[in-house]
Amino acid sequence: MNEMTQLERLRAEIPRPGPADLQAQEDRLLAAIADPPPVRLSRSGERPRAVRRLGLSLAAGMAVVAVAAGILVVAGDTELDAPPVLHVMPVKAETVLKRAAENAGRFPELHPKPGQFLIFESQTMDTVEVNDAGGHSRYLSRSKRKVWLPVEGDSTGGFIEGEGLSPSAYPGWPIPPVARESLGRSGPEKLADFDERVEYLRTDYAYLSRLPTDPAKMYQHLYTGLSHGARADADAWQRVGGMLTEAYLPAAQRAALFRAAAAIPGVTTVGEAVDAAGRTGVAAARTEPALGIREEYIFDRKTYRYLGVRRVVTDAVRAKAPVGSVLTSSALLKVSVADHAPVEQ
Amino acid sequence: MSQLSREEVDDASFIERSRREPEAFAEVFRRHAPDITRYVTRRLGDGVAEDVVAETFLVAFRQRAGYELTRPNARPWLYGIATHLMSRHVRTEVRQLRILERRGVDPVTQSFAERSDERVSAEASRRSLAGALATLPRGHRDALLLVAWGGLTYQEVAEALNVRLGTVRSRVNRARHRLRQELGGINPMATVSEESVHE
């Protein structure tokens, strides 16, 4: 008996469930399909009419609509499970992002071609939670990373080369020995086995360069599938970060993104912020009260070039760290174009 | 009866239809949930499996717009999503395999009716197998078990894991080699490293 036959017998007593065993699961799935989060505007099961949609959305998003620029956009593809929700870009705009938008065209632009790779070199700091035989510990892991991403396609076609740097202490925690185990170089190796992002969260150059250059439409894109309220605004703000971190947009889309991001409710200016490479700049930020964390996108204070992102504690109880602690930060050091992927090690 | 139309036979048609009529996705669930439930239960036990399977189909539903309709069979796609979701439970999986290896008691099968006659004869090899599975790099274990327990072809595994066919062959071969060594009592000190081979 060979090893495959023996393996096939292992746990073979577990039965294949019949339809009756799975009925409850199927009902749950159908319920989730019929009533998709985050909100449902109509209980009747019929597709809500435009007027009804508008009325409800006005009620739901009163603060936003009151200062609207007069541009109405409908976010959410009704073909998908996204609820039809109106997202109107407000006129108010945060200053740093506005300046960044005005300056977006001043930098030499890269023109990567299909088949090529964009190379992003950055330095990062992330909070790591360890739960092993040695107990529970936290530390700030620091590294340099060089990532190759295909001009078209998801991150499974990408490669990464990393270098672990000496770790930093998480506020109030000693650095555990395990933190020093993965220092040194690694890769280049495949970046990811999976990338299950939905279409509208793609950040490859080919996709980003097809996004609208009109800020109101870019605003709509940021809210695809989202409802109204603080949760949706927080998600939209996160998506901005997704398009800035290891992603490259043509200048026109970049300007539109900054203008759209500047209009997200709750976005404020931070006068001084330091990125993971120690560069000081100004930041546009949004606080997520539920987490007690402020997420800042940092820009050079003169040229308004994007420098990096960091997450800072604003509520010690919720974030479980002293106010002002930096929990995550990154610094984008260089973006370039290459014809080929690196040779895997 | 009349012959079955394409619409009635392949998964892609139902997925395409579900983009307009979401309830049509229920058919995808009915076709694949039994096998996927058994597969996930075999790896993680029924407690975790229920949630993983529910999430697998919900994730699939949400991503149906991106499904490649030229692939009539959704099996690799669904197993791929399930594998990805199971990766969050890798510690649970390994811990349960270790318990089986050390004590000969399998936490995963405890709640199912035992067939003790077969059990006893296979006792030693079950424990060795569990130990070997626990030491495999995750990508190797995924590939091996998709073949052995999921019944996927190498090509389907490549689609499910989104790796090259040559990588699947290499992972399965290395994993089988490891199992043979363990069953043969050789107990090699070196563990297999995760690496992919490109054709």
Side-chain angles (χ1 to χ4, degrees):
Chain A
M1 187 161 63
N2 79 7
E3 75 283 355
M4 285 306 262
T5 316
Q6 294 193 37
L7 182 58
E8 278 158 23
R9 293 190 182 180
L10 186 66
R11 295 177 175 169
E13 64 267 44
I14 290 175
R16 184 181 189 270
D21 303 314
L22 293 169
Q23 193 56 52
Q25 283 258 42
E26 187 182 328
D27 292 345
R28 269 169 64 194
L29 176 71
L30 283 170
I33 286 174
D35 195 6
V39 291
R40 190 177 147 104
L41 297 177
S42 166
R43 289 271 147 206
S44 65
E46 64 186 45
R47 184 164 290 172
R49 285 168 297 135
V51 175
R52 183 169 162 72
R53 227 154 48 196
L54 179 61
L56 282 165
S57 295
L58 281 171
M62 192 63 82
V64 177
V65 175
V67 290
I71 312 152
L72 292 185
V73 289
V74 179
D77 185 349
T78 47
E79 291 292 309
L80 300 173
D81 55 327
V85 178
L86 275 171
H87 281 288
V88 184
M89 185 167 134
V91 279
K92 77 123 202 117
E94 187 279 329
T95 319
V96 169
L97 285 163
K98 221 173 92 191
R99 297 258 185 287
E102 289 159 6
N103 286 275
R106 296 198 182 166
F107 305 106
E109 202 172 338
L110 299 175
H111 296 283
K113 305 272 182 303
Q116 288 186 312
F117 287 80
L118 276 158
I119 304 177
F120 300 91
E121 291 169 64
S122 51
Q123 192 166 325
T124 60
M125 187 186 80
D126 296 290
T127 302
V128 177
E129 289 261 357
V130 185
N131 246 323
D132 59 13
H136 181 205
S137 57
R138 282 180 187 174
Y139 66 97
L140 298 171
S141 150
R142 296 169 59 246
S143 64
K144 278 192 170 167
R145 48 189 275 152
K146 186 170 178 180
V147 165
W148 287 255
L149 284 170
V151 165
E152 175 138 35
D154 65 28
S155 61
T156 59
F159 296 87
I160 180 167
E161 186 177 55
E163 183 186 353
L165 305 175
S166 62
S168 297
Y170 186 95
W173 295 70
I175 299 177
V178 66
R180 299 185 200 281
E181 282 170 12
S182 59
L183 303 187
R185 294 189 158 281
S186 64
E189 60 201 347
K190 197 165 186 275
L191 179 61
D193 274 355
F194 294 95
D195 186 343
E196 293 179 356
R197 279 178 293 183
V198 294
E199 172 86 5
Y200 56 80
L201 294 180
R202 278 175 59 179
T203 54
D204 54 304
Y205 181 82
Y207 181 78
L208 293 177
S209 59
R210 288 195 294 267
L211 289 179
T213 54
D214 171 28
K217 293 208 175 93
M218 184 64 90
Y219 189 84
Q220 172 188 352
H221 173 71
L222 288 175
Y223 279 87
T224 307
L226 298 176
S227 61
H228 281 295
R231 187 65 250 162
D233 298 334
D235 284 348
W237 186 243
Q238 288 268 321
R239 291 180 185 180
V240 174
M243 291 160 77
L244 292 174
T245 308
E246 292 175 353
Y248 185 83
L249 301 95
Q253 278 81 4
R254 179 167 286 253
L257 175 66
F258 290 152
R259 287 188 205 283
I264 293 175
V267 177
T268 56
T269 303
V270 173
E272 191 173 302
V274 183
D275 75 7
R279 300 176 297 189
T280 302
V282 287
R286 195 174 182 287
T287 300
E288 179 53 56
L291 300 175
I293 289 169
R294 184 176 68 225
E295 186 157 36
E296 305 175 345
Y297 302 132
I298 309 168
F299 295 83
D300 184 278
R301 61 168 77 245
K302 286 206 183 71
T303 63
Y304 288 91
R305 180 193 285 276
Y306 172 73
L307 296 180
V309 57
R310 67 171 192 173
R311 291 181 190 85
V312 184
V313 174
T314 56
D315 181 329
V317 177
R318 290 192 187 271
K320 300 188 184 73
V323 171
S325 313
V326 178
L327 303 184
T328 312
S329 68
S330 72
L332 181 60
L333 302 174
K334 190 181 173 196
V335 184
S336 54
V337 176
D339 287 334
H340 303 288
V343 178
E344 278 185 78
Q345 291 298 304
Chain B
M1 279 300 292
S2 63
Q3 70 209 53
L4 293 176
S5 69
R6 177 176 176 273
E7 186 143 345
E8 284 163 299
V9 290
D10 74 30
D11 298 331
S13 319
F14 282 99
I15 293 169
E16 186 178 23
R17 212 173 88 201
S18 76
R19 292 175 185 172
R20 301 183 304 275
E21 305 161 35
E23 355 28 283
F25 204 78
E27 181 61 24
V28 178
F29 177 89
R30 282 178 214 128
R31 288 172 175 210
H32 296 285
D35 284 336
I36 289 184
T37 301
R38 180 168 190 243
Y39 177 71
V40 178
T41 307
R42 240 171 138 176
R43 289 190 63 172
L44 296 175
D46 52 355
V48 180
E50 187 173 335
D51 287 343
V52 169
V53 173
E55 206 181 341
T56 297
F57 283 92
L58 206 53
V59 167
F61 174 75
R62 294 197 178 124
Q63 294 180 3
R64 70 197 186 283
Y67 184 80
E68 181 55 67
L69 293 172
T70 55
R71 294 180 177 176
N73 188 348
R75 217 156 69 111
W77 179 55
L78 294 167
Y79 273 92
I81 295 170
T83 301
H84 180 53
L85 294 172
M86 278 191 284
S87 69
R88 295 180 195 158
H89 302 282
V90 65
R91 293 168 86 120
T92 305
E93 178 174 36
V94 170
R95 197 178 57 238
Q96 294 179 139
L97 287 168
R98 289 292 186 201
I99 291 172
L100 171 56
E101 180 195 14
R102 285 173 195 151
R103 301 190 209 145
V105 177
D106 191 346
V108 164
T109 54
Q110 265 173 345
S111 55
F112 297 93
E114 301 200 5
R115 294 187 298 186
S116 52
D117 47 333
E118 280 181 32
R119 272 287 176 86
V120 177
S121 62
E123 183 64 30
S125 69
R126 278 172 65 234
R127 296 173 69 161
S128 304
L129 272 175
L133 285 175
T135 59
L136 289 178
R138 205 182 83 210
H140 295 204
R141 190 167 53 238
D142 286 341
L144 178 70
L145 293 182
L146 282 171
V147 172
W149 290 355
L152 270 65
T153 64
Y154 281 20
Q155 182 55 48
E156 288 176 324
V157 174
E159 284 175 35
L161 298 181
N162 206 359
V163 296
R164 294 170 200 231
L165 188 58
T167 307
V168 174
R169 280 203 197 99
S170 153
R171 287 183 184 178
V172 173
N173 286 341
R174 281 155 178 270
R176 289 185 62 173
H177 181 65
R178 173 83 198 173
L179 259 50
R180 277 198 298 275
Q181 284 178 316
E182 200 68 39
L183 289 167
I186 295 163
N187 266 325
M189 294 304 288
T191 50
V192 184
S193 68
E194 176 107 23
E195 63 186 79
S196 54
V197 173
H198 296 284
E199 296 187 307

